[in-house]
Amino acid sequence: MAAPYATDPANPRGRLYAEEESLFRSPFQRDRDRIIHASAFRRLKHKTQVFIEHEGDYFRTRLTHSIEVAQVARTVAAALDLNVELTEAIALAHDLGHTPFGHTGEEALNALMQPFGGFDHNAQALRIVTDLERHYAEWDGLNLTWETLEGIAKHNGPVLDPPYALRSYDARHDLELHTHASAEAQVAALSDDIAYNNHDLHDGLRAELFSTDDLAQLPVLRDCFARVDAKYPDLNYYRRRHEALRRFFGILVEDVIVVSRRNLAEFNPATVADIRHAGRMMIQFTPALWSDLKVIRQFLFERMYRAPAVVKMRVAVTQMVDELFPYFMSNPGELPKQWRKDVAEVQDVQALARIVADYIAGMTDRFAIQEHKRLIGGTPVPAGVTDGH
């Protein structure tokens, strides 16, 4: 039985463009399905999580990350008696707006777009599902429900200073950016934290950026390794670290469920509107675990996100974005045919810059490398990194 503050699939707040609902699927099931079938979702297969995707088939991509986030989100939402389908839709869509080359690509594109309103991946995800996916006869975008759009826009909390792309959409379809999002969207946000804290440790180990012994010294993980060693004293290296990390994963999920249940019981919201106007997040970690996660994130920052090999790649891919953006601004005729149609309609340089940013943001890692090589000549990718073959 759904909680009274869960989002009711029988009473959604509608879509920007009215359409008949399905006889067999709820509105949020349809949102989830449209996201899965979107071109932008498929492109996540070749977009970086931390490493550029050519460095190995075992590292996470934005697609596998999104699937892992959705898996965690479904578990937590079900435990809290929330709407699982809405939670899953938001989780699957949360990274649609990411550029090639992870946060490095986003930072580079945001710097280039500062004279034109900046660039933000959450706002870009909303732009994709409301405009850039152009497959339907009657509208641009996916025509998702208000609840899913709200979750994409503000799953991390109220947006008091919205970036240009978010502000422009909100002007025609009010997403109440000053309030918190639904509990389902908050679950998706915390599930993102759980997923990347867990899988970045896996990927860092596989890349040999740190050792199992290094992890065994970290808070929370220290106890996980101790429990594995006590139960399986002769376990081999690979199984030992997997068993420890799966226990770490379980601790994060269970902590969120326990704390969030307590928060909801204390606040006692009667409706989803009460969640939006609570003035604070309902879905949280315990303060102690949150503090421990800060230590783990700092470890990942120093040993993984700013490891020498990763920094070397950051410099290279920043150069690619820095060169592709002005090239397309000066040569918009090099954009694909469907993009040139939009260029023909623009009236100012800001509109052109937004089109160029949309195009570059939609590139996969390997396509950006290929286009840079084709259009500009040569590639700044360090030796030893292939072009996808």
Side-chain angles (χ1 to χ4, degrees):
M1 181 177 177
Y5 44 79
T7 302
D8 183 2
N11 190 33
R13 291 176 61 166
R15 304 174 188 272
L16 182 61
Y17 303 103
E19 58 175 295
E20 291 184 11
E21 290 298 346
S22 170
L23 296 175
F24 309 106
R25 293 177 295 161
S26 77
F28 306 131
Q29 281 181 286
R30 295 182 80 192
D31 284 359
R32 178 201 61 198
D33 296 348
R34 289 178 181 185
I35 290 163
I36 289 172
H37 288 281
S39 300
F41 188 74
R42 291 194 297 277
R43 289 197 299 271
L44 296 179
K45 177 183 177 183
H46 295 295
K47 290 200 176 192
T48 300
Q49 185 65 22
V50 174
F51 303 91
I52 80 161
E53 65 94 21
H54 315 95
E55 290 193 342
D57 293 336
Y58 288 96
F59 297 120
R60 265 69 172 194
T61 65
R62 288 284 169 196
L63 179 61
T64 59
H65 167 70
S66 296
I67 293 169
E68 291 180 25
V69 173
Q71 177 267 316
V72 175
R74 287 195 305 268
T75 299
V76 176
L80 299 177
D81 297 323
L82 299 173
N83 188 294
V84 175
E85 293 157 357
L86 173 61
T87 310
E88 183 179 23
I90 297 167
L92 289 170
H94 85 282
D95 266 357
L96 289 178
H98 266 290
T99 65
F101 313 125
H103 287 288
T104 301
E106 179 177 8
E107 290 167 8
L109 194 53
N110 181 45
L112 292 162
M113 285 292 292
Q114 280 306 302
F116 314 109
F119 181 90
D120 172 84
H121 77 267
N122 280 332
Q124 189 69 10
L126 189 77
R127 185 165 168 79
I128 286 168
V129 301
T130 59
D131 182 13
L132 299 179
E133 286 284 328
R134 297 175 182 174
H135 307 296
Y136 294 89
E138 297 184 37
W139 54 73
D140 290 337
L142 305 181
N143 200 33
L144 304 179
T145 60
W146 186 94
E147 289 82 356
T148 299
L149 296 177
E150 175 209 34
I152 294 170
K154 57 180 183 177
H155 54 272
N156 290 319
V159 185
L160 303 181
D161 185 21
Y164 169 82
L166 187 52
R167 188 169 65 250
S168 61
Y169 181 79
D170 189 64
R172 64 187 179 112
H173 192 195
D174 184 8
L175 297 178
E176 300 176 5
L177 297 177
H178 62 286
T179 69
H180 283 274
S182 64
E184 288 85 358
Q186 294 181 36
V187 166
L190 262 289
S191 299
D192 185 25
D193 287 347
I194 291 170
Y196 79 69
N197 275 293
N198 178 64
H199 64 51
D200 283 0
L201 294 172
H202 275 277
D203 284 353
L205 284 170
R206 180 171 289 277
E208 299 182 349
L209 295 176
F210 42 79
S211 69
T212 302
D213 289 341
D214 292 328
L215 292 194
Q217 302 305 311
L218 293 171
V220 186
L221 286 156
R222 186 183 304 116
D223 291 339
C224 293
F225 276 101
R227 291 174 189 171
V228 171
D229 292 341
K231 189 172 183 179
Y232 308 106
D234 299 318
L235 202 60
N236 73 38
Y237 173 82
Y238 291 102
R239 293 178 190 268
R240 176 177 179 255
R241 74 187 193 188
H242 181 80
E243 285 292 330
L245 286 171
R246 66 187 285 259
R247 282 162 174 76
F248 172 68
F249 192 47
I251 287 169
L252 300 188
V253 173
E254 290 168 14
D255 185 88
V256 166
I257 292 170
V258 170
V259 174
S260 302
R261 278 178 175 166
R262 184 168 65 235
N263 286 346
L264 291 163
E266 291 174 354
F267 187 66
N268 195 27
T271 66
V272 66
D274 291 342
I275 297 287
R276 291 192 176 98
H277 295 280
R280 65 185 180 95
M281 299 288 272
M282 290 287 107
I283 312 301
Q284 295 176 312
F285 293 111
T286 57
L289 183 57
W290 184 244
S291 179
D292 287 340
L293 286 176
K294 288 180 180 178
V295 175
I296 293 170
R297 279 197 292 271
Q298 183 60 32
F299 171 85
L300 284 168
F301 183 86
E302 294 172 357
R303 300 293 296 275
M304 184 175 185
Y305 310 144
R306 294 298 181 269
V310 177
V311 170
K312 189 175 182 181
M313 284 306 310
R314 282 173 56 87
V315 172
V317 300
T318 297
Q319 181 182 337
M320 272 191 257
V321 176
D322 285 348
E323 292 176 353
L324 282 170
F325 183 85
Y327 180 87
F328 285 120
M329 288 293 288
S330 299
N331 302 277
E334 291 288 347
L335 292 166
K337 183 177 180 180
Q338 65 268 33
W339 293 84
R340 294 199 301 270
K341 291 169 63 178
D342 287 346
V343 169
E345 299 174 1
V346 301
Q347 302 296 319
D348 55 52
V349 68
Q350 179 165 331
L352 174 60
R354 188 59 56 182
I355 291 171
V356 171
D358 289 339
Y359 181 59
I360 293 175
M363 290 180 173
T364 63
D365 295 8
R366 62 184 180 181
F367 182 69
I369 292 170
Q370 290 165 1
E371 285 296 273
H372 183 274
K373 185 175 182 179
R374 180 178 72 87
L375 296 170
I376 298 172
T379 175
V381 177
V385 179
T386 72
D387 63 358
H389 299 290

